[in-house]
Structure formats: C-alpha cells, structure tokens
C-alpha cells in the first residue's frame, strides 16, 4: 500500500487416504505428536506430518511439533498470532498491530516467521491446502499469508514442520510449514462463549462459537462458526506510552504546529499568544514550548538558543495497541459415500471481518510534489524561505481518523477419494481460495491544503528557485473546523484481492512391495494451478494527488504445475530410509522458471524407546508476485551522498559530512527477470520415549538460503556513483566510468538541478534482484511428561530453541552480517523457551504456562536488553460431562515491556516483541448438546 477429513469411516484400516499435509481419512489416525501425550497406539497406521505415506510410527525423520485444541484452551490462547508467538521456532521479527509499517502496508494482518527468515519463507496451510495470500504486500514488498483471520476456536490442532518441505509441498516451504487442522470429527452441538477484558481498561472482547455434526450411513456434515467482537485498545489508556513524557531520552513535545526557516536552520517563533489560541486542541494539551538549539544564535552562550513552536505531549497516544475487529468465520466439511470404495467430499470456508486501527493523527507539510526532499517556499508575506507543517487534532477532524479494512475470505475444495484394489488409495480435489479487502483511510489532498494555507502560487523566486506564496502565518496557527478539515482531505480507498486455485491428484500405497524388514510405502502427487493478485489502488494514489506519498500499483498472475513422488524403505527392522522428489514449474510474465527439489531421511531405532533421525532437503521459493509485478512508486529514505562528501568535504569522516544521511526519494519498481530462491535444510536429532508418559527430543537444524531476493542497496548505488563520477574508489583504485556498473549507477541517481539543494541527490531508482544469502543454525529441545498421583495427574511440557548463528550477506563480497549481533540492525533473539505445568483431578484442571524471550539489542544497538518472561494461568472445571467453564489470566504478573533507556522511538519499546496490554482476563463457558462428553 502506501509507500508505498478426517471423517469417521466404516472402511477399516486398509482404506486410509492421505491429504495434502499427511492427514488421513480414517478416524483411527493418531496425531503426529501422539507419543508426547501418551495417546499413540503402535498398532494403528498414523501420519507423520511432512509425508504423504501413512505409517505405524508416530515420528519421522523430520521434527514435527503439534498443538492440540486441548492445549490451546488450557494455555489460554485467544488468537492464532498469540498461539504461534509462543512457539520457539517462530523467532522472526514481524509487524506489530501498532507499528507504522503494519498500518501503512498490511492493516489488520499478522504473520508467522519460522527461523527468522521472513514471513514469505514459511508455508501456511489449512487442512493441508494453500490459502490465498493477504492481498497487500508485507512492508510493501513481498506476499505472505495472514494468520489473523484463522478462527482459533475452530482449530483441532496445529502442526509445525521444522525444515525444508518443498519436495512434498512445493514453493515457500524453506523455513518450514505450519498446518492448521480444523475441527471436523464432531457430534452433537457445542456452544461456546468467551469474554475478555484487561485489568487497566480497554480491549474488551466477546467471542461466540458453535460447532456441530450430523451423519447418516452414507452422508455426513460437520462444521463451525465463530463470531468475534474485539474492541480496540488505545495507547492513551496505557501510562507507559500515553505521552512524550514516557520517552526515556527526550520528553520534548511533538511539533504540532511548526514554521521552519531553511536559511537560518531555525524554528520561527509563533509567540505564546498563537499557541494559547490552540490550547483546547489534543484534549487541551497543546502548549507553547521549545526545542533546544533550534532558535537564533546567542553570542552570550556561543550557541543556538531554544526554538519555539506549538506542541503537544499527549497527541502521540492517539493510536491503537490492539485493533478493533468484528468478524464472522466459518468452516465446514461434507461427505457422501458413493460406494464402499469412493466418497465425495467438500470442504468450505468463509469469513468476513471489519478491522479498525489507527497509527497516528493525520498531518500536512508543504511539499511541491509527493515525497519531495526539498519542501520550502519563498514567503513574500515576511520575505523568508519558509517551511510549514502541522498535525490535525481529533477536535479538528471530528474524531479519530481510523483506518478501516473489510476483509472477505473464502475457499472451497470439492473432491473424491477412495480405494483402488486392496492397497491403492487415491484423492482427486480442486481447491479455490480468495482474499478480498476494502481498505480506506483519510489522506490530505496536497493541492487543496496548499491552496487553503498558502493561497495561489505567485511565481518562482529567481534567487532561490523556490515557488513564491504570500502566506499569512496566522492561517497556520488557526484551528480548523471539521468542515474545513473535510475540505482538504478525503478517504483513499483500495480494493486489493488475491486468489489461488489448485487441481491435485494423489495416490498412495502403504504396501507397494515387501522387503525383508517390512512393506515399502509409496506416494505420488500431480498438481496444476494458478495464482494471482491485484492491488487495485485508488487511481489518485498513483499520482501526486495526496500529501507525502505516491503509491505503486501491482497486479499479476502465474500458472504452476508439479509432479512428485515419495518412498519409505524399511531396510532393516530398526533402519528406515525415506526419500521424496518433486519438479515444479511456474509460468509468469511471458517466461517460465522451474525447480527440482528433493529430500532424504533416515530413522534408526536401536530400541523401541529411542529414535535417531536425520533429514536433508532442498527447497525453493518461486519469484514473489509483488517483487515481479509491482509498478513504479515512491518511498522516502536517507543516504550518504558519497560524491559530495568526497569532493566538497574530503577531510571529514562520512558520518561527520554535511551530506551524510541526506533525505532522498527512492523510486521503486518490480523485476520480471527474477528467478527462484533456493534453500537447503539439514536436521538431525534423537527422540527418547522410555514410556508413554515421558518424551524427550533434541534436534539440530541448519538452513541456507541462496539467491534471496532483495532490493538494490541505495547505499551501494550511491558509493558506485561517487566512484564512477570521480574516477577512483575511496582508496584510490581506478574506476572505468563506462563500465556497466558505472553506467547503471549514474543512471539510477538523480540530483537537483536548481534551488537550495542544487547538486544534491533528489532520488535513487531501485528494484529487487536475486542477490542475497542467509544462513541460520541452532538446536531445538523438547520435553514432556506426566505423573499420576493420589491427588491427580501432574504434567510438564518444556521446549527451547537456541540459535548458534544467523548470518546475512546482501551482495557477494560484502561483509557478512551477524543478525544476532547487538549492532546488526536486526532484533532477533538467540534463545526462546516455552513451558507449562498442569494439574488435573476429577474434572478440575489448573495450568500455568510461560514463555521466555532471550535478550535483544537495545535501540542504540550498543548493548542488549535483558530477557523477558510472560506467564499465563488457566483454571478449568467440568461441571458436568457436557458443561465446562474456565478462567484464564494472561500476563499473570502484569509485566510491562522490558525497559530500554535508549528506545526513543514511539511507543518507547520494541513493539515487534512486546506490548503494554498488561494483565488480561478471559472467562469461557462451553455447553454441549448431545453426543459424547466434552
């Protein structure tokens, strides 16, 4: 956006069928992680996630973690993002609901980022099938899957495969796969109500869920609906971020009304009386105030004095911590047995949500065109080179100017599954998924604001080159009426949508032929599908119509075909080999790109209680649609002007140069020549289960990502341009100005031809390329166990992920960045842990769970902040077999974000990892009509 089933079956064991994520059709299928909760039955065929072949083993060569519906409830998870945040493998820094990039680019959406490799490298599935991407790109760049609309109350379990999965699932599964298995095995009708509120006010929520199922001898239907009403939580409701007084570095008021003289590099004093006339704005917090060293030069102190302006300390709290959301989601499955060997089925999903959020108040400053880095004018009123800016208060705008996003998602999967002969199982299905949004938010119309505040342009000043206006400053320091604000603003409306379709045929045989150690398992898959997206922006947003930005368009589609196979070979009684391969081809932008991927694994069971395993696999990500098809647009950034620093201030270090950090406009567009990213994953570990009540696992992982797509570096372009214009590098090496690198760099840099910034960089043109390399390795450890006693059963579950290294290199030959280092520019934890302990006795259950996030760099990137802890508690009681109540306390100790005395950027803590919601309470009541007990 702006700058930018398992169904109950009478067929018996031989008729098990495999779905896209390795689930099977029989009610006897056990969870992939069954041995962790003591429910596995070695006599039944089960499915290990990451394979299409049913086996009698409950663990395979690749590590899989599972979160069941019971775990979700006992740990008090209220949403899918909250649930996945507790997973130790989910270690990436993603957008917070209160971050500017989220509000600007993906309002209301949230992501999952396994191994910190980026949300676009984690494959997200629902019931083993792909769903349409969020229709707006992450940080304005890449497509991703939105997990915020997945109804947590309708989930049966979540399976997380850590490792390359492309040989099974195709593109995107580089860091791993997350599959949400929805509730399908249902009897009777279950009604559920959940109410939430926060201890410190705001953020009240209501959730109503109904699930049920009905069947005859040949027909069955099951499904559920969820209604959610989440009220927004406002920043001004939390004392640690309700004003600039909370800033640990600088408590100066925001510059709500400001005049700035570019000639003197000082603020122009409005006078106390001007600010007094505005005192009622921003809840009565607007004051006459100053900022040090932005006033006139004072020879007595030999320094610049304070610069005065009208400001507010409280207006910074006009934003949401939790977005408001009202939504309806549903999921259903139907099946009809044509015969003993064939069944028709259809899975459907539909959801609609209305999201409301706000990042900040609207604002305006004079600019000649969108994103221009030279925004001054000659003011004939008092003969000065002037620069005006101001923010608009809720009193002027008629209330909070919120961003609104109406999201509609739906998918349908009809198909047929059955058996061929005694050993072959098949499934043929077609999946279609679509995600549509209507996003609107208020914007200032630049030309109307200029006319309102400055009047008509009177020409161009011959000396400075700036446009001339005769603008009375009193106009700037006058509060608007809501009608006046409406006259210079309007809502911009986007209607983005994305879709995916896929025809898939699978066939499996658990006894293809016999080896001395047992039967050989086989599976094959063939797919054909299409995928597309269209941003459908406001046409005016592609021009200089709105203040401060000009957006880019983006629309495109691609076709996809794949064929793959998998084998499971029991070489000996205690050694099994697995292997899979797959060939994918994508067609887009008039060309094709293809990729062959494979994986192999080994399972060694020297004794029944011990599994030694290892797996190696290749993976890939097809060229991202938005990286390929995005149209030209502008974003604002800063760059060191190496050319002017080296020619005009050669004796200054680059950081001390006057042209260091110059504001520029970055012109960005897509690249239709991108090729697939490539990945490799190695996992190796052991699983020890001496009994059904005790489980321990340890797994090493290593992921390498090559040919990663990244934008051209504006810093590197500026360096190359300087070398080429001067003829030598900074160390004196000669440079050929006619080389392709020089020709390209010089063409990408534009400089002002006139005006006060003549000769300085005005804009740089960039596009994405296949260039970067990223690597990460570490270890995952998990333990679970339970002990029955005379006073109830006690259960303990622990998991921990430790990252050995995580490196990134943008260009070949560049220094390798340690993304875990304090000064890397990244905020990734080396360690992440989670655990829970519960007590269960005669229908009463108490669970205390917690997560630990390892140390992160501080804002100044010169030290680490300490590790953080978050504890939750849930008390659950079964009043009868069909009536259950529970109370969850989230953030049990009412912990605030870890204090960082250097974090001067609002909200004064790292919002990607923390929030200031505080202690929350959730009361839940579940009643079941008919069917088995809860």
């Amino acid at each position: 956006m702006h700058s930018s089933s398992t169904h109950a079956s009478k067929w018996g064991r031989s008729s098990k069928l495999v779905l896209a994520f390795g689930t099977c059709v029989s009610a006897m299928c056990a969870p992939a992680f069954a041995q962790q909760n003591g429910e596995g039955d070695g006599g039944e065929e089960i499915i290990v996630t990451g394979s299409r072949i049913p086996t009698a083993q409950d663990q395979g060569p690749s590590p899989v973690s599972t979160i069941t519906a019971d775990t979700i409830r006992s740990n008090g998870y209220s949403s899918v993002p909250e649930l996945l945040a507790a997973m130790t493998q989910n270690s990436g820094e993603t957008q917070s609901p209160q971050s500017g990039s989220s509000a600007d680019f993906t309002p209301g959406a949230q992501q999952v980022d396994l191994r910190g490799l980026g949300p676009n490298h984690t494959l997200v599935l629902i019931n083993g099938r792909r769903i349409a991407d969020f229709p707006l790109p992450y940080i304005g760049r890449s497509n991703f899957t939105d997990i915020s609309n997945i109804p947590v109350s309708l989930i049966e379990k979540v399976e997380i495969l850590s490792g390359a999965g492309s040989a099974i699932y195709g593109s995107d599964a580089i860091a791993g796969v997350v599959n949400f298995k929805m509730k399908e095995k249902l009897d009777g009708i279950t009604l559920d109500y959940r109410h939430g509120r926060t201890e410190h006010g705001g953020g009240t929520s209501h959730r109503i869920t109904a699930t049920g199922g009905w069947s005859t001898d040949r027909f069955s239907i099951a499904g559920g609906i969820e209604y959610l009403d989440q009220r927004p939580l406002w920043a001004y409701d939390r004392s640690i971020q309700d004003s600039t007084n909370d800033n640990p570095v600088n408590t100066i008021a925001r510059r709500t009304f400001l005049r700035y003289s570019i000639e003197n590099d000082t603020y122009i004093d409005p006078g106390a009386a001007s600010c007094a006339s505005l005192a009622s704005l921003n809840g009565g917090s607007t004051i006459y105030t100053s900022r040090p060293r932005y006033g006139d030069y004072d020879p007595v102190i030999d320094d610049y004095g304070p610069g005065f302006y009208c400001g507010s300390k409280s207006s910074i709290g006009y934003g949401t911590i939790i977005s408001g959301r009202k939504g309806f989601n549903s999921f259903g499955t139907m099946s009809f047995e044509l015969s003993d060997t064939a069944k028709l089925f259809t899975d459907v999903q539909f959801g609609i949500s209305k999201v409301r959020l706000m990042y900040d108040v609207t604002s305006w400053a004079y600019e000649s065109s969108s994103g221009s880095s030279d925004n001054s004018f000659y003011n004939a009123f008092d003969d000065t080179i002037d620069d005006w800016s101001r923010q608009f208060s809720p009193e002027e705008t008629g209330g909070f100017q919120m961003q609104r996003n109406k999201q509609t998602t739906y998918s349908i999967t009809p198909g047929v599954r059955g058996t061929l002969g005694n050993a072959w199982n098949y499934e043929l299905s077609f999946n279609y998924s679509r995600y549509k949004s209507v996003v609107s938010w208020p914007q200032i119309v630049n030309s109307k604001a200029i006319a309102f505040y400055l009047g008509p342009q009177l020409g161009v000043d011959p000396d400075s080159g700036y446009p001339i206006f005769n603008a009375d400053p009193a106009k700037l320091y006058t509060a608007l009426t809501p009608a006046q604000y409406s006259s210079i603003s309007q809502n911009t409306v986007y209607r983005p949508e994305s879709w995916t379709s896929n025809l898939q045929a699978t066939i499996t045989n658990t006894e293809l032929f016999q080896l001395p150690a047992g039967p050989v398992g086989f599976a094959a898959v063939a797919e054909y599908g299409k995928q597309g997206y269209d941003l459908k922006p406001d046409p005016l947003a592609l021009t200089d119509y709105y203040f401060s930005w000009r957006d880019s368009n983006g629309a495109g589609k691609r076709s996809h075909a794949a064929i793959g196979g998998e084998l499971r070979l029991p070489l000996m009684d205690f050694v099994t080999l697995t292997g899979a391969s797959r060939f994918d081809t994508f067609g887009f932008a008039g060309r094709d790109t293809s990729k062959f991927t494979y994986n192999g694994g080994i399972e060694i069971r020297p004794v029944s209680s011990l599994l030694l395993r290892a797996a190696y696999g290749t993976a890939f990500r097809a060229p991202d649609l938005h990286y390929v098809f995005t149209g030209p647009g502008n974003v604002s950034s800063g760059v060191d002007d190496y050319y002017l620093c080296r020619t005009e201030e050669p004796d200054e270090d680059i950081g001390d140069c006057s042209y260091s950090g110059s504001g520029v406009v970055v012109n960005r567009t897509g690249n239709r020549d991108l090729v697939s990213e490539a990945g490799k994953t190695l996992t190796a570990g052991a699983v020890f289960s001496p009994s059904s009540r005790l489980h321990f696992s340890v797994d090493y992982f290593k992921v390498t990502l090559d040919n990663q797509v990244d934008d051209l570096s504006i810093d590197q372009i500026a360096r190359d341009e300087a070398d080429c214009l001067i003829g030598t590098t900074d160390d004196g090496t000669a440079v050929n100005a006619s080389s392709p690198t020089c020709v390209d760099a010089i063409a990408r840099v534009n400089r002002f031809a006139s005006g006060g910034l003549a000769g300085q960089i005005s804009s740089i043109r960039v596009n994405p390329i296949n260039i970067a390399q990223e690597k990460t390795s570490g270890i995952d450890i998990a333990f679970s166990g339970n002990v029955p006693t005379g006073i109830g059963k006690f259960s303990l579950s622990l998991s921990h992920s430790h990252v050995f290294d995580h490196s990134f290199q943008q260009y070949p030959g560049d220094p390798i960045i340690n993304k875990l280092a304090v000064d890397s520019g990244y905020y990734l934890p080396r360690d992440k842990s989670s655990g829970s302990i519960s007590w269960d006795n005669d229908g009463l259950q108490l669970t205390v769970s917690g997560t630990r996030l390892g140390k992160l760099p501080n804002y100044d990137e010169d030290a680490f902040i300490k590790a953080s802890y978050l504890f939750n508690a849930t008390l659950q009681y079964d009043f009868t077999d069909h009536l259950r109540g529970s109370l969850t306390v989230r953030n049990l100790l009412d912990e605030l974000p870890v204090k960082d005395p250097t974090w001067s950027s609002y909200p004064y803590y790292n919002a990607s990892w923390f929030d200031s919601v505080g202690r929350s309470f959730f009361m839940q009541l579940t009643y079941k009509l008919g069917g088995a007990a809860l």
Side-chain angles (χ1 to χ4, degrees):
M1 212 156 54
H2 65 278
S3 318
S4 306
S5 7
T6 56
H7 299 287
S9 173
K10 63 184 181 183
W11 297 341
R13 178 174 171 182
S14 65
S15 61
K16 292 187 173 115
L17 303 176
V18 182
L19 303 183
F21 202 83
T23 53
C24 60
V25 176
S26 169
M28 294 182 289
C29 291
F33 219 42
Q35 86 291 346
Q36 293 196 24
N37 47 41
E39 296 173 359
D41 184 349
E44 302 293 345
E45 286 185 344
I46 60 174
I47 295 297
V48 177
T49 299
S51 172
R52 299 180 187 274
I53 305 173
T55 76
Q57 301 294 339
D58 51 20
Q59 281 288 314
S62 297
V64 176
S65 301
T66 296
I67 308 170
T68 66
D70 288 340
T71 302
I72 292 172
R73 179 168 184 136
S74 64
N75 284 269
Y77 299 129
S78 61
S79 68
V80 167
E82 181 184 312
L83 183 161
L84 292 181
M87 295 302 298
T88 62
Q89 301 96 327
N90 185 16
S91 58
E93 178 187 14
T94 55
Q95 295 174 340
S96 157
Q98 59 176 324
S99 70
S101 57
S102 175
D104 284 352
F105 299 115
T106 53
Q110 291 185 259
Q111 312 83 26
V112 58
D113 183 1
L114 298 182
R115 306 303 185 198
L117 293 171
N120 58 336
H121 295 108
T122 297
L123 177 61
V124 177
L125 305 172
I126 294 182
N127 277 6
R129 310 186 194 280
R130 292 172 181 265
I131 56 176
D133 290 331
F134 189 75
L136 294 168
Y138 181 69
I139 319 181
R141 296 187 180 185
S142 61
N143 301 113
F144 71 100
T145 303
D146 175 25
I147 60 172
S148 68
N149 271 333
I150 300 174
V152 69
S153 60
L154 301 183
I155 294 173
E156 181 63 34
K157 63 181 177 180
V158 185
E159 302 166 317
I160 300 175
L161 170 67
S162 302
S166 289
I168 305 296
Y169 308 113
S171 178
D172 308 341
I174 291 179
V177 184
V178 179
N179 179 50
F180 295 91
K181 184 71 174 65
M182 310 307 289
K183 292 180 179 179
E184 295 178 5
K185 294 182 293 182
L186 301 168
D187 62 345
I189 298 176
T190 302
L191 304 176
D192 185 275
Y193 170 71
R194 181 182 176 106
H195 171 69
R197 58 178 55 246
T198 64
E199 180 171 314
H200 305 290
T204 300
S205 65
H206 303 270
R207 189 187 75 197
I208 301 173
T209 307
T211 59
W214 175 79
S215 64
T216 65
D217 287 344
R218 306 182 70 86
F219 176 78
S220 67
I221 183 171
I225 58 175
E226 177 191 84
Y227 173 76
L228 175 67
D229 181 2
Q230 172 68 65
R231 310 291 172 84
L233 174 61
W234 290 91
Y236 58 73
D237 285 328
R238 293 297 179 264
S239 60
I240 71 167
Q241 61 181 95
D242 61 353
S243 82
T244 59
N245 284 330
D246 302 311
N247 190 321
V249 177
N250 189 340
T251 60
I252 295 173
R254 305 181 84 190
R255 290 160 287 185
T256 312
F257 299 83
L258 178 67
R259 285 186 72 197
Y260 174 78
S261 170
I262 191 174
E263 291 177 296
N264 301 318
D265 195 21
T266 59
Y267 295 170
I268 300 175
D269 192 342
S274 295
C275 297
S277 66
L278 304 167
S280 63
L281 301 182
N282 295 306
S285 66
T286 304
I287 56 174
Y288 177 60
T289 186
S290 65
R291 184 181 183 185
R293 304 191 71 252
Y294 273 82
D296 294 332
Y297 179 76
D298 186 344
V300 175
I301 62 173
D302 191 25
D303 202 350
Y304 291 89
F308 290 89
Y309 61 97
C310 304
S312 169
K313 291 191 171 187
S314 300
S315 68
I316 204 165
Y318 295 148
T320 50
I321 298 173
I322 297 176
S323 303
R325 183 186 293 265
K326 289 186 178 181
F328 166 86
N329 282 284
S330 61
F331 181 84
T333 183
M334 297 176 287
S335 67
F336 178 75
E337 293 185 15
L338 296 173
S339 67
D340 288 344
T341 59
K343 175 186 285 189
L344 296 176
F345 69 91
T346 301
D347 296 337
V348 294
Q349 174 274 329
F350 174 78
I352 184 167
S353 297
K354 295 182 178 180
V355 180
R356 298 177 297 130
L357 67 152
M358 182 172 172
Y359 177 66
D360 201 356
V361 296
T362 53
S363 61
W364 172 81
Y366 171 75
E367 63 178 13
S368 57
S369 61
S370 66
S372 171
S373 55
D374 190 3
N375 296 325
S376 298
F377 63 93
Y378 178 81
N379 195 346
F381 184 87
D382 51 9
D383 190 29
T384 186
I385 305 299
D386 216 341
D387 194 344
W388 287 17
S389 64
R390 62 153 302 173
Q391 300 169 350
F392 298 99
S393 68
E395 293 85 355
E396 296 174 289
T397 60
F400 291 129
Q401 299 290 285
M402 300 190 74
Q403 193 174 52
R404 301 175 185 272
N405 185 2
K406 181 181 178 181
Q407 305 167 338
T408 303
T409 62
Y410 58 90
S411 64
I412 183 169
T413 306
V416 59
R417 60 170 69 102
T419 61
L420 299 170
N422 294 325
W424 291 93
N425 305 306
Y426 71 89
E427 178 180 291
L428 178 66
S429 64
F430 175 76
N431 170 249
Y432 181 82
S433 178
R434 200 170 194 95
Y435 198 134
K436 302 175 67 175
S437 287
V438 180
V439 187
S440 64
W441 72 100
Q443 284 290 333
I444 301 299
V445 179
N446 196 39
S447 61
K448 293 182 179 181
I450 291 174
F452 181 85
Y453 281 106
L454 308 184
Q457 183 174 335
L458 305 177
V460 176
D461 178 52
D463 296 325
S464 66
Y466 287 116
I468 302 173
F469 294 92
N470 186 12
D472 185 352
K475 189 79 170 179
L476 176 65
Y477 299 105
T478 300
L480 301 186
T481 65
Q484 288 173 320
Y485 175 80
S486 296
S487 71
I488 62 171
S489 67
Q490 69 181 57
N491 275 347
T492 182
V493 180
Y494 283 49
R495 303 179 185 276
E497 59 181 319
S498 64
W499 54 271
T500 184
S501 62
N502 193 55
L503 178 66
Q504 177 178 271
T506 60
I507 188 168
T508 63
N509 189 327
T510 59
E511 298 182 9
L512 185 64
F513 58 87
Q514 288 284 334
L515 291 177
V520 173
F522 170 79
V525 61
E527 298 180 15
Y528 178 78
K530 295 183 178 181
Q531 180 183 9
Y533 87 114
D534 191 343
L535 294 185
K536 293 186 178 180
D538 177 353
L540 294 172
L542 306 180
T543 69
D544 287 334
Y545 186 73
Y546 296 113
F547 162 69
S548 83
W549 60 281
R550 186 174 72 223
D551 206 356
S552 58
N553 201 349
K557 59 184 179 180
R558 66 188 182 194
S559 62
H560 166 236
I563 187 169
E566 183 181 356
L567 281 173
R568 182 176 180 87
L569 302 168
L571 294 186
M572 293 180 281
D573 290 339
F574 62 94
V575 179
T576 301
L577 297 182
T578 59
S581 62
R582 178 175 168 126
F583 180 78
D584 290 81
T585 182
F586 289 81
F588 61 92
R591 67 183 186 89
D592 297 322
T593 182
S594 303
K595 196 72 176 178
F596 173 79
T597 55
Y598 63 90
N599 67 31
I602 183 170
E603 305 165 42
I604 303 174
R605 291 178 168 85
V607 294
S608 60
S609 61
L610 177 63
L611 165 64
L612 305 176
R613 62 186 178 189
Y616 176 83
T618 61
F620 78 106
R621 175 169 173 78
D624 190 284
L625 282 172
H626 193 65
Y627 273 133
V628 172
F629 292 108
T630 183
N634 293 343
V635 295
S636 298
S637 188
V639 70
D640 294 334
D641 191 334
Y642 294 95
Y643 174 71
L644 289 183
C645 286
R646 288 174 59 185
T647 56
E648 296 189 10
E649 300 179 13
D651 297 328
E652 294 286 350
D653 291 335
I654 189 64
D656 298 324
C657 173
S658 302
Y659 305 104
S660 174
S662 300
V664 297
V665 175
V666 179
N667 308 128
R668 185 177 183 274
T669 190
N671 182 358
R672 302 197 175 198
D673 295 323
L674 292 172
V675 298
S676 296
E677 301 177 343
K680 295 175 289 187
T681 298
L682 170 67
T683 60
V687 181
F688 180 56
S689 298
S691 75
S692 62
R693 298 187 180 278
L694 185 64
H695 170 89
F696 175 79
S697 67
V698 56
D699 288 281
Y700 168 83
F701 67 86
K702 182 177 181 180
V703 184
T704 301
L705 181 57
D706 296 310
N707 236 20
Q708 188 174 0
V709 175
D710 200 4
D711 277 0
L712 286 165
S713 165
I714 61 173
D715 181 78
Q716 187 62 50
I717 293 172
R719 287 177 185 269
D720 290 341
E721 186 232 16
D723 293 345
C724 298
L725 292 177
I726 296 172
T728 64
T729 63
D730 199 31
D731 61 8
T733 303
V735 174
N736 181 5
S738 60
S739 67
T741 297
C742 285
V743 172
D744 182 67
I746 293 172
R748 290 180 180 275
V749 179
N750 293 310
R751 295 180 175 272
F752 289 106
S754 60
L757 299 180
Q760 297 185 37
I761 297 176
S762 62
S763 64
I764 299 178
R765 180 171 53 86
V766 302
N767 55 261
I769 58 173
N770 292 96
I771 195 68
Q773 182 184 76
E774 192 163 358
K775 297 179 181 180
T776 185
S777 66
I779 191 169
D780 297 324
I781 303 172
F783 170 85
S784 64
N786 61 78
V787 178
T789 71
I791 59 172
K793 184 174 73 172
F794 292 86
S795 302
L796 176 66
S797 176
L798 300 170
S799 60
H800 176 75
S801 291
H802 175 80
V803 182
F804 295 140
D805 61 75
H806 195 143
S807 62
F808 176 80
Q809 185 181 41
Q810 185 170 26
Y811 288 89
D814 278 0
I816 296 176
I817 299 172
N818 176 10
K819 296 181 75 169
L820 302 175
V822 70
D823 58 350
S824 67
Y826 296 91
Y827 293 86
L828 301 181
R830 184 181 292 274
D831 297 282
K832 192 175 180 183
S833 310
S834 66
S836 67
I837 184 169
S838 64
W839 168 74
D840 192 343
N841 185 39
D842 195 24
L844 180 64
Q845 184 184 77
L846 173 64
T847 300
V848 178
S849 61
T851 58
R852 177 188 183 273
L853 182 69
K855 62 183 182 180
L856 296 168
N858 66 1
Y859 186 77
D860 282 353
E861 297 188 10
D862 59 6
F864 286 98
I865 61 173
K866 65 180 181 180
S868 62
Y869 299 83
L870 180 69
F871 293 98
N872 305 323
T874 298
L875 181 64
Q876 179 176 289
Y877 182 66
D878 291 343
F879 297 97
T880 70
D881 287 346
H882 288 72
L883 179 63
R884 174 180 294 162
S886 65
L887 170 65
T888 294
V889 183
R890 177 165 171 79
N891 194 351
L892 186 64
L893 304 181
D894 200 20
E895 292 286 342
L896 294 173
V898 175
K899 189 173 183 179
D900 181 355
T902 71
W903 202 282
S904 58
S905 176
Y906 191 79
Y908 314 129
Y909 55 82
N910 190 333
S912 293
W913 292 106
F914 307 113
D915 62 56
S916 60
V917 174
R919 188 182 289 121
S920 304
F921 303 90
F922 297 91
M923 294 165 285
Q924 188 168 347
L925 190 65
T926 305
Y927 179 62
K928 188 173 183 182
L929 300 168
L934 286 169

